[in-house]
């Protein structure tokens, strides 16, 4: 149709998938555990049972068989799982375009290399302020601001797209403009 030619590729694919009854993206929460205790968080942090790596791999295979294109891996904090790197490898082995949601706390040089090498299309990080004291008032973890900034820089240096996500709260509303400057 003429109107379809004016759509961007992602929107065009999403409309075609919708007509066919196929999801284009799946968000897969693999844990509710988190090493932070953010003031706004609704997670129960470790009370829910977790799927095994084998179960996750099977589910990813089932999702891939439905022709889903994108998978977003999240938690709590995705990287609190000891097998997080293997879950990433499984998602790529199944052919997904992978996006991650994380605090960045557990991203070091080695893991940044892995994320790049596996071709993650984007890493979204929870980031509450350009000011460490405000960010850490939300996470309630000293040093969390520096770890998130460090992880973002490691990924950006490797060409990975990073999106800093900041929900507006009374504790950070006055400092949100500073994030763009940072």
């Amino acid at each position: 149709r003429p109107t379809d030619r004016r759509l961007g590729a992602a929107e065009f694919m999403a409309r075609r998938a919708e007509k066919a009854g196929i999801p284009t993206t799946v968000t897969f929460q693999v844990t509710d555990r988190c090493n932070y205790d953010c003031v706004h968080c609704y997670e129960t942090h470790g009370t829910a049972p977790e799927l095994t790596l084998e179960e996750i791999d099977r589910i990813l295979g089932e999702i891939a068989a439905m022709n889903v294109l994108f998978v977003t891996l999240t938690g709590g904090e995705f990287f609190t799982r000891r097998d997080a790197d293997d879950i990433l490898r499984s998602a790529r082995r199944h052919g997904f375009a992978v996006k991650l949601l994380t605090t960045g706390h557990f991203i070091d040089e080695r893991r940044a290399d892995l994320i790049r090498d596996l071709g993650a299309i984007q890493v979204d990080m929870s980031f509450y302020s350009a000011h460490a004291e405000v960010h850490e008032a939300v996470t309630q973890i000293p040093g969390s601001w520096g770890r998130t900034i460090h992880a973002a820089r490691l990924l950006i240096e490797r060409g990975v797209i990073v999106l800093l996500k900041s929900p507006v709260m009374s504790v950070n509303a006055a400092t949100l403009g500073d994030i763009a400057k940072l």
Side-chain angles (χ1 to χ4, degrees):
R1 294 187 337 231
T3 57
D4 287 344
R5 287 186 215 142
R6 292 185 294 239
L7 299 176
E11 188 176 351
F12 176 76
M13 290 171 55
R15 285 190 183 180
R16 290 196 63 190
E18 183 179 359
K19 287 178 187 174
I22 301 168
T24 55
T25 187
V26 167
T27 299
F28 195 166
Q29 181 176 344
V30 299
T31 186
D32 73 342
R33 285 183 291 128
C34 187
N35 55 311
Y36 289 1
D37 194 21
C38 297
V39 297
H40 65 289
C41 189
Y42 55 85
E43 290 290 343
T44 55
H45 297 309
T47 61
E50 292 184 347
L51 298 171
T52 65
L53 177 60
E54 293 75 23
E55 290 170 320
I56 290 170
D57 184 65
R58 178 186 52 79
I59 292 167
L60 288 170
E62 292 171 6
I63 295 167
M66 295 178 356
N67 295 316
V68 171
L69 298 172
F70 305 97
V71 68
T72 300
L73 298 170
T74 187
E77 167 51 53
F78 174 74
F79 289 110
T80 58
R81 285 193 62 125
R82 289 196 168 125
D83 57 0
D85 295 345
D86 293 325
I87 294 169
L88 275 172
R89 288 183 188 98
S90 173
R92 287 299 295 145
R93 190 172 48 254
H94 286 292
F96 293 108
V98 176
K99 184 162 86 169
L100 296 169
L101 275 75
T102 180
T103 63
H105 188 91
F106 297 104
I107 296 177
D108 56 13
E109 298 265 348
R110 182 200 59 80
R111 186 161 274 148
D113 288 342
L114 177 68
I115 292 167
R116 177 206 54 217
D117 294 347
L118 290 175
I121 61 170
Q122 184 173 309
V123 176
D124 294 1
M125 291 189 188
S126 303
F127 189 69
Y128 305 109
S129 177
H131 306 281
E133 66 278 2
V134 175
H135 178 89
E136 293 171 8
V138 174
T139 66
Q140 302 185 72
I141 301 295
S144 61
W145 184 87
R147 293 195 68 147
T148 300
I149 291 292
H150 181 67
R153 288 185 173 139
L154 288 174
L155 292 167
I156 291 166
E157 288 169 4
R158 287 158 175 76
V160 176
I161 296 171
V162 174
L163 178 65
L164 300 177
K165 298 178 96 170
S166 300
V168 179
M169 300 175 279
S170 59
V171 68
N172 73 347
T175 68
L176 288 176
D178 296 335
I179 291 175
K181 294 174 190 170
L182 178 68

